[in-house]
Amino acid sequence: MNTTKLYQEDVYLREWQAEITSVLANENDNNLFTLTLDRTAFFPEGGGQSCDIGSIGDYEVIDVQEADDTVLHTVRLMSGQLPPAAEVSAKCTLNWERRFDNMQRHCGEHILSGIFFDMFGGVNRGFHMGQDYMTIDISLEAKPEVTQITYEMALEAELGANKVIWSDAPVTVLRFDNREDAEKMPLRKALAFDEDISIVCVGSVENAADCVACCGTHPSTAGQVGLVKIYKVENYKGMFRIYFEAGARALKDYDTKHNILSELSAGYSSSIEDFPDKLRAQEEKLAAAKNELFHIKKAFIDSHCSRLDELLDSCTANALVYKVPLLSLDDTFNMGKRYMNSCKPLILLYSEKDTSYILVSDGSADCGRLVKEYASFYNGKGGGNKVSARAIFSSSKDADLFADLICKHLK
């Protein structure tokens, strides 16, 4: 049974009465049923647009699809509800927030795609309405002189799209029974089917900002889109993928990013306008401080290496513990690199900051094996190879006990 599609007659219809014409239980979920109605304003998923949601009677509509001109509504039973029954009249209610969100976004895509075509000869070859943003894939076909879309060019298109929105141009949907009549419209894209054709036109037919076949839902005027905002442009399979948003979502994105920028600029005692300069100056200071710290740290390590060299010259034991203050485990490891493969006694470099040991040797004492076999005795962990290994502990007491055990083991 074909469904009367009320969304094609009035996209602003939010409530209506309909008869449930069939009920099908879901094989995998006892709480899900698929209903058909004699008439529906629920738009089924299609054309890059997500479906409407809402309620049929007391049942929650969570998905809407179309098959053979029949609209299928998936409903979920809430706790304690009885399964729906056929031949029952039910009040249907559309989730208007979701519908209008889809209308704003889909119409925004139409307008932006039309501007890309008009300005740069770019044909929309792909459209996706995601949760966080929308994308269109623009193929440069109609104007051979245009070979790329830069971000600056995309911003020109964004301004052009918003000018259409600010003009509050009318948005009309014209329906045709055959291709011949539909092709008389100023289409920006060739038709993909031969009958039951819906053409969406933004502006007048004589001076359309966009005109293309589409089965989705759209507001009656462009001004209801609110705004269009492009986020980025990237190369994609020989085309240019445009990331953007429209309507309330674009405003929400602006609010979020503006609040972040306001907080960051306030943290630098700066206005938003002066924040980039303040940030660059801070980054320059940080780079200078990092460079100074690098040289100070190198001198500090060199000084400790000189002391360690003196101890090694007089060392007769098979293991030597050397405690390094202030240095992190990674810095201690860099210090230990100077002794890998060359020092006869096993050196245990202790990072007081991270309560951890770096073991280095010439390979005669297998550093990795020693850590693997003994670190766990004192709640330690780590690993390595013959000439170097790390042993990480949660307390200085455990670290000292580990080092003492290794020294005794190698006597």
Side-chain angles (χ1 to χ4, degrees):
M1 175 182 176
N2 294 346
T3 310
T4 299
K5 300 168 183 174
L6 300 176
Y7 54 83
Q8 292 182 343
E9 303 170 11
D10 182 5
V11 294
Y12 293 94
L13 182 64
R14 307 186 193 192
E15 294 183 350
W16 68 100
Q17 202 73 19
E19 183 177 302
I20 300 175
T21 54
S22 69
V23 178
L24 180 65
N26 188 291
E27 296 179 356
N28 301 314
D29 191 330
N30 293 332
N31 290 319
L32 297 182
F33 290 82
T34 299
L35 310 184
T36 59
L37 306 175
D38 63 336
R39 55 205 299 267
T40 186
F42 288 110
F43 176 78
E45 181 181 17
Q49 180 175 317
S50 61
C51 69
D52 287 323
I53 58 174
S55 62
I56 298 174
D58 295 328
Y59 307 107
E60 179 187 10
V61 178
I62 62 172
D63 186 45
V64 185
Q65 302 292 326
E66 184 176 8
D68 299 327
D69 218 27
T70 298
V71 179
L72 308 174
H73 311 76
T74 300
V75 300
R76 176 188 288 129
L77 299 188
M78 307 307 287
S79 177
Q81 282 183 325
L82 296 175
E87 300 181 2
V88 172
S89 181
K91 179 183 177 181
C92 303
T93 304
L94 191 74
N95 183 316
W96 176 248
E97 182 178 358
R98 180 180 173 107
R99 161 64 71 81
F100 191 65
D101 176 51
N102 279 337
M103 288 166 60
Q104 285 187 309
R105 299 178 88 199
H106 206 155
C107 191
E109 176 270 321
H110 277 280
I111 296 170
L112 188 60
S113 295
I115 295 297
F116 269 110
F117 181 76
D118 180 62
M119 283 187 170
F120 310 120
V123 179
N124 182 344
R125 295 298 182 190
F127 167 49
H128 176 67
M129 290 175 67
Q131 181 61 35
D132 299 320
Y133 51 78
M134 292 186 284
T135 61
I136 51 176
D137 297 328
I138 301 297
S139 174
L140 297 176
E141 302 174 15
K143 294 184 178 182
E145 68 275 16
V146 181
T147 59
Q148 65 174 336
I149 296 177
T150 64
Y151 185 65
E152 290 71 25
M153 293 167 68
L155 292 183
E156 289 181 42
E158 175 188 279
L159 179 58
N162 281 304
K163 285 182 177 180
V164 173
I165 293 170
W166 302 333
S167 74
D168 200 24
V171 179
T172 54
V173 181
L174 304 174
R175 305 193 190 281
F176 299 89
D177 294 327
N178 58 75
R179 175 189 288 267
E180 183 179 357
D181 291 338
E183 286 181 337
K184 294 176 183 178
M185 299 289 290
L187 302 173
R188 66 168 160 85
K189 194 173 182 179
L191 295 174
F193 34 88
D194 298 319
E195 56 186 19
D196 191 21
I197 303 167
S198 297
I199 303 296
V200 177
C201 185
V202 181
S204 65
V205 174
E206 296 75 23
N207 186 29
D210 187 50
C211 188
V212 71
C214 180
C215 64
T217 55
H218 311 82
S220 59
T221 60
Q224 295 173 63
V225 173
L227 76 153
V228 166
K229 185 72 192 84
I230 290 176
Y231 299 151
K232 68 175 180 177
V233 179
E234 67 180 20
N235 293 327
Y236 178 75
K237 295 183 178 180
M239 298 180 288
F240 295 87
R241 175 161 285 183
I242 314 297
Y243 292 78
F244 70 106
E245 198 48 90
R249 290 185 186 235
L251 178 61
K252 183 179 179 181
D253 179 80
Y254 169 83
D255 287 341
T256 298
K257 291 174 181 175
H258 179 76
N259 290 338
I260 292 172
L261 190 55
S262 296
E263 290 180 10
L264 288 173
S265 59
Y268 281 78
S269 300
S270 166
S271 66
I272 290 178
E273 292 75 17
D274 294 337
F275 178 60
D277 291 335
K278 281 268 187 141
L279 184 59
R280 277 190 289 270
Q282 191 67 24
E283 288 175 343
E284 289 173 1
K285 290 182 181 179
L286 180 60
K290 284 183 176 180
N291 183 59
E292 184 178 4
L293 177 60
F294 171 80
H295 290 290
I296 292 174
K297 193 181 293 184
K298 184 177 182 301
F300 183 80
I301 291 174
D302 288 342
S303 173
H304 276 282
C305 283
S306 296
R307 296 179 193 174
L308 180 56
D309 289 340
E310 293 176 0
L311 293 174
L312 287 171
D313 287 341
S314 60
C315 179
T316 58
N318 291 324
L320 174 65
V321 175
Y322 188 87
K323 296 190 175 183
V324 187
L326 303 177
L327 290 186
S328 67
L329 182 60
D330 288 339
D331 290 329
T332 305
F333 177 75
N334 288 331
M335 177 179 172
K337 284 182 180 179
R338 305 188 185 193
Y339 300 94
M340 293 178 191
N341 295 302
S342 61
C343 58
K344 180 61 177 175
L346 172 73
I347 302 176
L348 294 95
L349 297 175
Y350 181 58
S351 166
E352 294 181 344
K353 182 179 179 180
D354 291 331
T355 60
S356 302
Y357 273 100
I358 295 293
L359 283 66
V360 291
S361 77
D362 61 358
S364 56
D366 190 330
C367 300
R369 183 182 61 79
L370 290 172
V371 170
K372 183 179 180 180
E373 291 185 0
Y374 299 114
S376 61
F377 289 3
Y378 305 105
N379 302 309
K381 60 182 180 179
N385 53 41
K386 282 191 174 184
V387 298
S388 70
R390 300 182 182 209
I392 303 168
F393 301 91
S394 57
S395 71
S396 58
K397 179 181 179 181
D398 287 336
D400 289 341
L401 289 172
F402 167 77
D404 185 60
L405 176 63
I406 296 299
C407 290
K408 289 177 179 177
H409 175 73
L410 294 179
K411 275 188 176 179

